[in-house]
Every structure is written in structure tokens, then in C-alpha cells.
Amino acid sequence: MGRVTSDTTATDAAAQHAPEPPGAPPVWQRRLRRFGLPARPQTDVRARLVPAFPESSGRLWAVFGAGPDAAARLTRWSAWGGPLLVALFAGVLRFWNLGSPRKVIFDETYYPKDAWSLLQYGYEGTWAKNANDALVGHPPQLLLSPEHSYVVHPPMGKWLIAVGEGLFGMNPFGWRFMVALLGTLSVLLVCRIGRRLLRSTALGCLAGGLLAVDGLHFVMSRTALLDLIVMFWVVAAFGCLLVDRDRTRARLAAALPVGPDGVARPDEGVGDRLRLGWRPWRIAAGLCLGLATATKWNGLYYLAAFALMAVLWDVAARRTAGARHPFRSAVRRDALPAFGSTVVVALATYLASWSGWIATKGGYYRDWATSPDGRTGAWTWLPDWLRSLWHYQTEVYSFHTGLTTPHTYQSNPWSWLVLGRPVSYFYEDPKAGQDGCTAAEGCAREVLALGTPLLWWAACFALLYVLYRWLFKRDWRAGAIVCGVAAGYLPWFLYQERTIFLFYAVVFVPFLCLALAMMLGAIIGPPGSTERRRTIGAVGAGVLVLLIAWNFIYFYPLYTGMPIPKSAWHHRMWFDTWV
């Protein structure tokens, strides 16, 4: 061993403080590798920024006798053909006998009537106490007056319900039409989102297929409530952000210098200083998040979570491109445009959703600013409509935070994932010979907002899997799914005393399906696995999917209000809390 001199000491010190090459992993990551954190493979930076979509082998189509050229065409068409077929299946399920039960069920006592009132007056009027029975009477009657009523949700979702009422009339099919349409389209979106996120058409279609046979999503797609509308806009926003992420990373990849060997190198100038330019997909995401918030206020949590997630994606992209200070660069160059594209656009969308209330004079609190209470204060220089609207929002906030009235079907969010307390939207017990009942013992008809149990219980394990992938494998896809679940689920734990219900969870059901599809993909096995490994995995995953489909079919009568014998209804009440 050589003697240490002052020269070698200086050299070692200089090496310790020498600047790291662009794209080098941070110190904390290098230290964690001692404990098993895997290092990223050293590949072309362009491939890391924009991973290629895996090429299909075509073996599936060959089984059906397709030649190589036909298999290639079918593979290309399946990118849209597969999701469209899954969405068609979901649409048939949701629109079949959509007008049944021909009743005003659960909270349909509010939103369809408010929607019809918006069509007539531009604001929510007042309905007579017996309006529900009159709506489904023979002939139906519309017992509506222009006297304003106090409502506690923004108008956007009700405007969408009103579209169906305008097309098909004020009847159960009419007021459920748009919700069923959005429920069907959300299945299509999840198929395409899953394909882009998991880089697999099969897994994308699997995620959409799971959503198609989830009982909670199915029931909410056939009921004129607002929560499924929130879910649709949240999923649409997530999809827009995914497209924006891919296009932004492609822009960074295209700007990187290429060496003589044709391999792109990380570049500090590109990573730290490149401006990412016009990002229409992020603006579209802000619009969708604004529409979600303009339907129900829990869209605000997704606005905050997705805006933060988008900025973190920019940080990661700049780091991969070679930025020496990726966080600082993202804050300086991306944070402000991201705020404008999401928060500002969402706020403008929210205000626009109140146009009917603003343009008319009959809405609740519309003239508050000109009342004795509204003429005082420090903000009298603002337009009267804006001050009146702000006062309305503060009153609604007080209502929501103070809502503690007990309800038979309320539940704590701790029990949601295991389906502890589903909500009964409709129940009748016809006797033999009534309403299609053929059982001598009598029948039960129920619409129960219950997720498909095997799907939800499997999704609990899938959530643990994606948490593991995110925390220990640094898989951004798993992190995105976790963000989608957390933003729709965790905020409800802040309101332990509030009256809340299991059906609020429909907003994050698509992300549960994506998590389950990701776990099933891991069960099948990654590309490169042996034929035996993938065969065993495919059989195991296929059995689970078939059991979930059977479980949906088994509970189908409880999702649609079909008359079944009382004994069959009791057999489906697996837990006392479901009754």
C-alpha cells in the first residue's frame, strides 16, 4: 500500500467535491442501493424519457388463423377496437332497462328536479311536496314553481342531467340518460388510460372491463346522482395529464444532443433551461378538474393532488434529461404555467358553471349584495353578483362542514374498501303476482349501491402492491394510481363526524381497477418470463377475473331492482350491515 502524501490527499478531496456528471443519480439514491434499491439501467436517455410501446408477438391472432400481415393489422386496430368493444359491453349493461325502477330513488329526489328547473329558469326553483309521485304518475305532472330553493351543490352536474331530460323528457330514462352515457364513456377512458399507463392494450382493456362489472360504478351509472359525474371528469383529467406527460418528455428527448454512436446524452442545458412551451393537454386537464369541482366540491382535492403530481412529473423529466437542479428548474419554469393551466382554468370553469344563476335574478342569494347585510363590508367595490355568489359559497361551506344529521346508511370511510355499509337506493317487497314476482314466498326488489365484493377485496391487495411498487421500486405508474385513490379517499377521514356514505367512493373506483389490472399483469409475468411462468400466471389471473365476473352476475338483481324470491335476497346479504 502506497504512502499517503499531501498530493494524493488533495487529489482525493478534489474528487470528492468534483461536480457530478449530468444525469448522475443523487447521493441519497446511491446510498440506498446498499440496502437493495435497484439502479436504473443505463440506456439511451430518449428511451427512458419516452419508453417504446412493446411490440405484440401476434401469437394471439395466429391462434385464430391470422397470417403475419393480418395479425399486425389486428394488433394496430386493437388499440382502439378493444377499448370500444369493452365500452360497448358496458353501455349495453348500463342502458338496458334504464328506466327501471320507474321511481324517484334515493337522492334522485334532488338532482333531476333541480336539473329540470335549470332548464326552465336558469336556477333551482321549488317543487311541491308530492312532486316525486306526480313525476311518475299517469299522466305525469310537473309541480314546479319559480320560487327559488336552497341547494348545496354547484350546478354543472345538474346541467348535464338536464341534457338527457331535454332530449327524452322528465322521466326516469331521461334523467338517468346522461349519467349512463358518462358511465359508459368512463369505461372507454379507463381502457385507453390503462393502455397508455401500463403499456399494454390487454391490461388497459382488463382495467376497463373490471370497471364495467363493478357493482358500485354500475349502480351509480344508472342513477341520477352527481358523484359519477365527478368521477368522469376526474378520470378525463387524469388521462389528459398522462398525454401531456408523454408529449412533454418527448419534447425534452428531441432536444437532447446525440453522440457519434447515435445515443442521446443527458444535457444540463436542456434539462435545466428548456422551456416546454404550449401544453394544451394540461389546459384540458384544468378544464376537466374545473368541471369536476363545479359538480361537487370534492373535485377540489383532485385539483390540488393532480396539479402537484404534474409538477413532480416535470421534475422527474428534467432530472432524467440531465438537469443539475431539477426541482429548482421545474419550480422556476413549470410551476407557474402549471398553476395557470390547472388552478386558474379550473376557477374560470367553476365560475362559468354558475352562468344561469348569474344571468337571472331569481336564484337563492342572487340579490344578497343589495340587501342590508350585503351593503356593508370591505368588498363593496366588487360586482354585486360576485359578492352574492361568494356569500352563497360560504353558506354552502358551513352547511357541508356542519352536516352531522344521522342517517341509516351512513358509514365511516374506514369501512369503505371492505364494503362495510352499502347504501340501499330503493326497496320493495311485492307479493306473489305483483310487479313480476312469481315466488309464493314473496319477492324483494332492491337497488343496492354495493361494489362487486370480490373485485373490491382483491383491490385491497392491489393497493398494497402498487404502494410497494411506488415506494420501493420507484414506479411512477404505481404512484399515479396511488395519487388517484388517495385524493378521492383520504380527505374523507378529516370529516369523521360528518354524515358520509360509501357511494362517495365511486370517484376513485377507476383507480382501484387500474391497480388491480397492474397487479394482475405482475401475476401473469413480465415480458421475458418463461412460457411456463406466464401460463401459470395467466391461469391464476384468469380465474380471479372470472370469479369477479361471476360475482357481478350473482349480485346483478340487487343492482337493477329485479324481483327475486325473498330467500334469494337473504342469501345475497352476506353481512348483517348490508341489510
Side-chain angles (χ1 to χ4, degrees), residues 85-102:
L85 285 175
V86 175
L88 177 63
F89 166 72
V92 170
L93 284 176
R94 281 149 180 77
F95 280 97
W96 183 265
N97 205 17
L98 181 61
S100 176
R102 186 176 168 76

Side-chain angles (χ1 to χ4, degrees), residues 83-432:
L84 286 171
L85 285 175
V86 175
L88 177 63
F89 166 72
V92 170
L93 284 176
R94 281 149 180 77
F95 280 97
W96 183 265
N97 205 17
L98 181 61
S100 176
R102 186 176 168 76
K103 302 281 186 179
V104 177
I105 64 175
F106 198 60
D107 278 357
E108 284 187 342
T109 190
Y110 302 117
Y111 312 121
K113 293 188 292 187
D114 288 344
W116 184 260
S117 180
L118 288 174
L119 279 179
Q120 309 307 311
Y121 308 127
Y123 62 89
E124 292 86 347
T126 300
W127 291 78
K129 290 185 178 180
N130 60 333
N132 289 355
D133 293 333
L135 282 174
V136 294
H138 299 283
Q141 294 179 285
L142 304 176
L143 306 181
L144 173 65
S145 71
E147 178 66 24
H148 58 231
S149 62
Y150 179 54
V151 295
V152 294
H153 291 300
M156 188 62 235
K158 291 169 281 189
W159 277 115
L160 285 173
I161 293 172
V163 173
E165 294 173 344
L167 291 173
F168 302 103
M170 186 58 174
N171 55 69
F173 182 88
W175 66 61
R176 295 169 189 160
F177 173 81
M178 282 301 296
V179 184
L181 179 61
L182 295 181
T184 302
L185 291 177
S186 67
V187 172
L188 176 62
L189 286 176
V190 168
C191 288
R192 291 290 297 176
I193 286 170
R195 181 181 185 274
R196 181 178 289 271
L197 186 71
L198 304 177
R199 287 297 193 265
S200 168
T201 300
L203 290 181
C205 290
L206 175 59
L210 291 170
L211 187 63
V213 296
D214 174 62
L216 182 60
H217 186 274
F218 176 74
V219 170
M220 297 298 289
S221 296
R222 293 169 53 89
T223 313
L225 272 63
L226 301 179
D227 300 84
L228 186 125
I229 299 175
V230 177
M231 180 228 60
F232 174 81
W233 293 120
V234 165
V235 171
F238 185 76
C240 290
L241 289 176
L242 278 180
V243 176
D244 174 75
R245 179 185 186 274
D246 285 352
R247 294 196 171 194
T248 299
R249 293 171 76 91
R251 193 172 300 162
L252 282 167
L256 291 172
V258 179
D261 55 357
V263 176
R265 313 291 186 192
D267 184 82
E268 180 180 343
V270 172
D272 274 325
R273 292 187 287 275
L274 181 70
R275 294 190 179 277
L276 299 177
W278 173 249
R279 301 174 70 169
W281 284 100
R282 181 171 281 184
I283 295 174
L287 175 65
C288 292
L289 291 167
L291 291 170
T293 305
T295 302
K296 285 187 79 171
W297 279 4
N298 54 325
L300 282 170
Y301 297 116
Y302 276 100
L303 174 61
F306 282 2
L308 177 61
M309 180 179 70
V311 172
L312 292 178
W313 282 352
D314 287 345
V315 172
R318 289 186 178 277
R319 179 186 292 116
T320 302
R324 192 170 299 278
H325 305 289
F327 184 81
R328 185 190 308 170
S329 299
V331 169
R332 292 172 61 181
R333 299 192 181 278
D334 304 325
L336 186 59
F339 180 83
S341 300
T342 53
V343 178
V344 175
V345 170
L347 178 60
T349 304
Y350 182 85
L351 285 175
S353 73
W354 287 88
S355 297
W357 182 89
I358 294 169
T360 59
K361 290 296 183 180
Y364 203 86
Y365 280 133
R366 178 61 182 84
D367 296 323
W368 175 86
T370 59
S371 68
D373 291 337
R375 293 195 191 102
T376 60
W379 302 95
T380 53
W381 53 274
L382 290 173
D384 288 344
W385 67 265
L386 184 57
R387 291 193 297 120
S388 296
L389 182 60
W390 177 255
H391 178 72
Y392 196 170
Q393 308 308 296
T394 59
E395 291 297 309
V396 168
Y397 177 78
S398 298
F399 170 85
H400 284 305
T401 55
L403 182 60
T404 57
T405 306
H407 193 284
T408 304
Y409 292 106
Q410 72 183 69
S411 59
N412 192 286
W414 287 107
S415 69
W416 288 359
L417 290 179
V418 294
L419 303 173
R421 183 59 170 161
V423 182
S424 180
Y425 287 174
F426 166 79
Y427 181 85
E428 285 183 348
D429 50 355
K431 306 300 181 185

Side-chain angles (χ1 to χ4, degrees), residues 505-562:
V506 73
V507 180
F508 61 82
V509 167
F511 299 97
L512 294 182
C513 295
L514 288 168
L516 186 51
M518 188 174 183
M519 185 181 75
L520 290 171
I523 291 173
I524 294 170
S529 300
T530 64
E531 196 73 21
R532 176 183 173 83
R533 163 71 178 83
R534 290 180 71 84
T535 300
I536 294 174
V539 170
V543 168
L544 178 57
V545 172
L546 288 175
L547 287 173
I548 290 171
W550 164 83
N551 205 211
F552 173 78
I553 295 169
Y554 179 72
F555 283 99
Y556 182 82
L558 298 188
Y559 298 145
T560 57
M562 291 174 57

